[in-house]
C-alpha cells in the first residue's frame, strides 16, 4: 500500500505540472501578442511560434493565418486600408457574378440590360449571357452537392450564420441565392460530376455520412442562410474567376477549415467579414496547391504523382524495411497518399486536429515539403501494424488512419526533418 505521504507528493506534483502548463500557455499567448503588436511583423519569429501551434484565444489563429497566407502584409499600418479594399472587391464579385441574366439593380449602380431577340435562353452563341448562366449551373450543382455534406461529423455548417450576406438576401433587391438557383434548375446532377481523381468519392471511410437529398436539410427562415451556403458562394466565385480550373471535387475540403476558423473568430468585427477573408485566403492557398487538382500536370515535377513518389522515396530513406514491405505488397502511394496530399489531410482527422496540422503547414517556409514529411511520419508511426499486416489489412489502415494524436505525428515529422 502507498503511504499517505507518497500520495500527497504525487498530488502536489500533478498540481505543479498543471500550473506550469497553464503558465506556459499564457506565456505563449503573450509571445504571439508581442510579435503581432510590432509595427512590422517579424515573419521569421511568427513562423517559429506558429509551427508549434497557434492559440485560438483572442483571434490569434485567425490573424496569424491571414498573415501566413499572405492576405495581410507585414506592415500593420496598412491592414485597415487593405482589408477595406479587398472586402469591397469581394462585394463587387457578388454584384457581378451571383445574378440572373437580364436582372440588374439601379440602386447597386448597375444599368439594366434587357434580354432581346439577340440573347435568349436558346441562343447557341457562346458569348450569350444565357449560355454562360447555364454552364455556370453545371459547376454550381457539383459545388452544391459537395458543400452540403461538408464536415458531416459536426453541425456547424448546417447552422445559420450570424452574418448573412445582406447584399444577396435584402428583400429590396432581386438577386437570386445560389440555393434557389440550384432548386430551380432542371439539370441532372449526373451530368456535372467532375472528380479530380476519377473515383466517385474522395471522402475518408470514417467520416459520417451526409444527407443525400435537398429535402433532408433543415429549411431556414427567409433572411437566414447556413454556413454551407457561404462556402458555396466562395467556391462559385472562385470557379468563375478561375475558369481554367473552375471547381474540382475536394476544393470544398480545403475551404471548409479556413472558413470555420474565420467564422468562429471571437472578434465580431473580423467574424462579420469571414466570407470575404476566407475567399482571398483560399485563393492564395490554391495558388500554391492548384497543380494537385490539374490532371494534365500529374506527371510534371509540380504534379501530384511526383509528390506521391516523393513520399515513398523519403520513406525509403528513413525506413527501408517498411518501404520494401509496401512495395512487396504492391501498395502504391496513389491508393492513399493522393487524398492525404491533395486535401492537406483534411479527411484523415477531425476538424480541430486538421486545424492544428494546418498551423504547422502554414508556418513552415516550405510548407508542402513538410506535408510530405508528415505523410511519411504517419507511415512510420504504424510501421509495426504494416509490417505484420497483409494487403487487405494494410489498405484498411492507410485509408482509415488509426492514430488520432496529431501532436505525436507532427513531432515525428519534425524528427524526420531534423535527421536529414
Amino acid at each position: 500500500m502507498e503511504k499517505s505521504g507518497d500520495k500527497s507528493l504525487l498530488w502536489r506534483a500533478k498540481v505543479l505540472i498543471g500550473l506550469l502548463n497553464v503558465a506556459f500557455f499564457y506565456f505563449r499567448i503573450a509571445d504571439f501578442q508581442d510579435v503581432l503588436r510590432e509595427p512590422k511583423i517579424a515573419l521569421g519569429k511568427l513562423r517559429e511560434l506558429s509551427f508549434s501551434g497557434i492559440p485560438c484565444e483572442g483571434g490569434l489563429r485567425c490573424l496569424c493565418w491571414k498573415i501566413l497566407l499572405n492576405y495581410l502584409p507585414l506592415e500593420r499600418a496598412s491592414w485597415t486600408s487593405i482589408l477595406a479594399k479587398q472586402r469591397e472587391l469581394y462585394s463587387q464579385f457578388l454584384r457581378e457574378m451571383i445574378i440572373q441574366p437580364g436582372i440588374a439593380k439601379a440602386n447597386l449602380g448597375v444599368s439594366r440590360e434587357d434580354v432581346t431577340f439577340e440573347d435568349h435562353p436558346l441562343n447557341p452563341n457562346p458569348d450569350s449571357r444565357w449560355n454562360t448562366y447555364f454552364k455556370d449551373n453545371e459547376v454550381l450543382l457539383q459545388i452544391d452537392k459537395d458543400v452540403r455534406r461538408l464536415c458531416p461529423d459536426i453541425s456547424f455548417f448546417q447552422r445559420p450564420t450570424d452574418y448573412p450576406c445582406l447584399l444577396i438576401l435584402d428583400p429590396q433587391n432581386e438577386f437570386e441565392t445560389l440555393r434557389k438557383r440550384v432548386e430551380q434548375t432542371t439539370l441532372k446532377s449526373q451530368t456535372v460530376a467532375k472528380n479530380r481523381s476519377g473515383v466517385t468519392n474522395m471522402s475518408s471511410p470514417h467520416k459520417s455520412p451526409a444527407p443525400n437529398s435537398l429535402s433532408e436539410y433543415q429549411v431556414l427562415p427567409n433572411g437566414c442562410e447556413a454556413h454551407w451556403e457561404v462556402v458555396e458562394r466562395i467556391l462559385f466565385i472562385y470557379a468563375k474567376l478561375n475558369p481554367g480550373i473552375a471547381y474540382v471535387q475536394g476544393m470544398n475540403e480545403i475551404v471548409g477549415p479556413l472558413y470555420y476558423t474565420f467564422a468562429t473568430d471571437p472578434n465580431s468585427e473580423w467574424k462579420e467579414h469571414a466570407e470575404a477573408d476566407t475567399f482571398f485566403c483560399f485563393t492564395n492557398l490554391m495558388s500554391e496547391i492548384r497543380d494537385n487538382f490539374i490532371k494534365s500536370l500529374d506527371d510534371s515535377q509540380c504534379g501530384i504523382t511526383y509528390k506521391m513518389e516523393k513520399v515513398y522515396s523519403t520513406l525509403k530513406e528513413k525506413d527501408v524495411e517498411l518501404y520494401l514491405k509496401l512495395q512487396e505488397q504492391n501498395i502504391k502511394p496513389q491508393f492513399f497518399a493522393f487524398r492525404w496530399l491533395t486535401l492537406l489531410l483534411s479527411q484523415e482527422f477531425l476538424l480541430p486536429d486538421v486545424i492544428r496540422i494546418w498551423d504547422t503547414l502554414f508556418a513552415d517556409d516550405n510548407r508542402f515539403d513538410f506535408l510530405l514529411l508528415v505523410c511519411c511520419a504517419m507511415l512510420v508511426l504504424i510501421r509495426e501494424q504494416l509490417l505484420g499486416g497483409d494487403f487487405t489489412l494494410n489498405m484498411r489502415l492507410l485509408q482509415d488512419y488509426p492514430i488520432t494524436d496529431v501532436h505525436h505525428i507532427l513531432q515525428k515529422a519534425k524528427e524526420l526533418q531534423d535527421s536529414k
Side-chain angles (χ1 to χ4, degrees):
M1 293 180 63
E2 286 185 309
K3 297 180 180 179
S4 59
D6 292 338
K7 290 182 179 180
S8 177
L9 285 174
L10 181 61
W11 179 83
R12 290 179 181 179
K14 289 181 177 178
V15 171
L16 180 59
I17 291 172
L19 291 173
L20 289 173
N21 286 336
V22 171
F24 177 74
F25 173 75
Y26 282 106
F27 278 131
R28 274 187 58 76
I29 291 178
D31 288 341
F32 275 96
Q33 291 173 336
D34 288 344
V35 170
L36 293 171
R37 68 166 57 102
E38 291 294 324
K40 183 173 182 178
I41 307 300
L43 184 58
K45 181 62 175 176
L46 182 63
R47 288 187 185 279
E48 181 184 344
L49 286 172
S50 301
F51 190 88
S52 300
I54 306 171
C56 60
E57 283 73 16
L60 287 175
R61 173 175 283 130
C62 303
L63 179 54
C64 290
W65 279 18
K66 288 166 185 170
I67 296 170
L68 295 172
L69 289 172
N70 302 312
Y71 178 45
L72 287 177
L74 300 181
E75 295 76 16
R76 280 178 52 92
S78 60
W79 287 0
T80 300
S81 60
I82 285 177
L83 287 172
K85 179 182 177 181
Q86 294 297 85
R87 290 163 180 173
E88 175 53 35
L89 177 60
Y90 186 75
S91 294
Q92 185 62 33
F93 292 156
L94 294 179
R95 293 186 182 99
E96 293 178 359
M97 298 176 196
I98 306 189
I99 59 173
Q100 294 177 314
I103 293 181
K105 293 299 295 179
N107 63 338
L108 291 178
V110 183
S111 60
R112 192 182 193 288
E113 297 177 20
D114 290 319
V115 174
T116 69
F117 289 114
E118 297 297 324
D119 191 10
H120 54 82
L122 300 181
N123 187 351
N125 187 333
D127 296 327
S128 163
R129 291 179 64 187
W130 281 102
N131 186 60
T132 300
Y133 179 79
F134 293 137
K135 284 188 176 297
D136 288 345
N137 278 355
E138 296 179 4
V139 176
L140 177 58
L141 282 174
Q142 181 64 46
I143 294 173
D144 186 81
K145 183 174 70 172
D146 292 343
V147 297
R148 286 175 181 265
R149 62 190 181 195
L150 187 60
C151 297
D153 47 319
I154 63 173
S155 63
F156 171 80
F157 288 96
Q158 305 304 322
R159 297 203 305 264
T161 171
D162 293 333
Y163 300 98
C165 182
L166 299 181
L167 185 65
I168 302 295
L169 298 176
D170 185 350
Q172 299 302 314
N173 68 48
E174 300 175 36
F175 278 91
E176 177 187 52
T177 66
L178 295 183
R179 178 178 60 181
K180 286 292 184 183
R181 184 165 166 176
V182 168
E183 291 169 352
Q184 292 170 5
T185 187
T186 58
L187 292 175
K188 295 183 179 179
S189 60
Q190 57 262 38
T191 67
V192 300
K194 182 183 179 185
N195 187 305
R196 166 61 186 79
S197 63
V199 296
T200 57
N201 187 3
M202 292 174 68
S203 297
S204 172
H206 65 71
K207 290 286 182 176
S208 305
N212 295 318
S213 67
L214 302 184
S215 60
E216 293 182 59
Y217 290 86
Q218 178 184 1
V219 177
L220 298 176
N222 289 336
C224 296
E225 60 180 354
H227 288 290
W228 67 260
E229 294 182 75
V230 181
V231 175
E232 179 173 67
R233 204 157 46 233
I234 292 169
L235 289 169
F236 181 74
I237 292 177
Y238 178 83
K240 289 280 289 178
L241 291 172
N242 297 271
I245 186 172
Y247 172 77
V248 180
Q249 187 183 38
M251 290 181 183
N252 57 309
E253 305 294 350
I254 301 298
V255 74
L258 287 173
Y259 175 74
Y260 175 85
T261 299
F262 296 157
T264 55
D265 192 325
N267 183 332
S268 59
E269 183 179 347
W270 288 59
K271 181 178 178 180
E272 180 179 358
H273 299 284
E275 179 176 353
D277 294 347
T278 299
F279 171 80
F280 288 107
C281 286
F282 171 69
T283 299
N284 289 352
L285 180 57
M286 282 299 301
S287 71
E288 300 184 50
I289 65 172
R290 60 176 290 163
D291 292 347
N292 294 345
F293 291 87
I294 301 176
K295 192 171 181 60
S296 61
L297 296 178
D298 278 0
D299 296 324
S300 69
Q301 190 164 352
C302 61
I304 189 66
T305 300
Y306 173 82
K307 293 170 185 174
M308 289 188 291
E309 291 173 350
K310 185 69 173 176
V311 172
Y312 262 27
S313 64
T314 304
L315 179 64
K316 182 179 181 180
E317 177 187 340
K318 304 297 182 182
D319 192 333
V320 66
E321 182 184 6
L322 178 55
Y323 166 79
L324 292 174
K325 176 70 173 183
L326 296 178
Q327 291 284 67
E328 174 192 325
Q329 293 185 343
N330 199 29
I331 296 179
K332 301 181 183 301
Q334 289 89 334
F335 297 162
F336 61 94
F338 177 88
R339 190 179 70 206
W340 291 8
L341 294 169
T342 303
L343 304 185
L344 307 185
L345 298 172
S346 62
Q347 287 286 283
E348 313 315 312
F349 304 99
L350 296 177
L351 183 57
D353 294 324
V354 172
I355 290 171
R356 170 61 192 91
I357 292 172
W358 286 16
D359 284 345
T360 296
L361 294 183
F362 295 166
D364 195 79
D365 275 329
N366 302 306
R367 60 177 117 236
F368 301 113
D369 288 341
F370 191 78
L371 176 61
L372 300 179
L373 290 170
V374 173
C375 293
C376 187
M378 290 169 66
L379 295 172
V380 172
L381 287 173
I382 57 171
R383 73 182 307 275
E384 298 305 323
Q385 296 101 304
L386 292 171
L387 290 174
D390 58 17
F391 176 86
T392 302
L393 178 60
N394 286 346
M395 283 299 298
R396 188 178 302 125
L397 283 170
L398 294 170
Q399 293 182 349
D400 191 6
Y401 192 74
I403 295 179
T404 58
D405 186 353
V406 298
H407 298 279
H408 191 196
I409 295 169
L410 292 171
Q411 182 180 19
K412 173 58 71 173
K414 188 67 170 67
E415 291 174 4
L416 295 177
Q417 184 183 53
D418 293 341
S419 68
K420 288 184 177 180

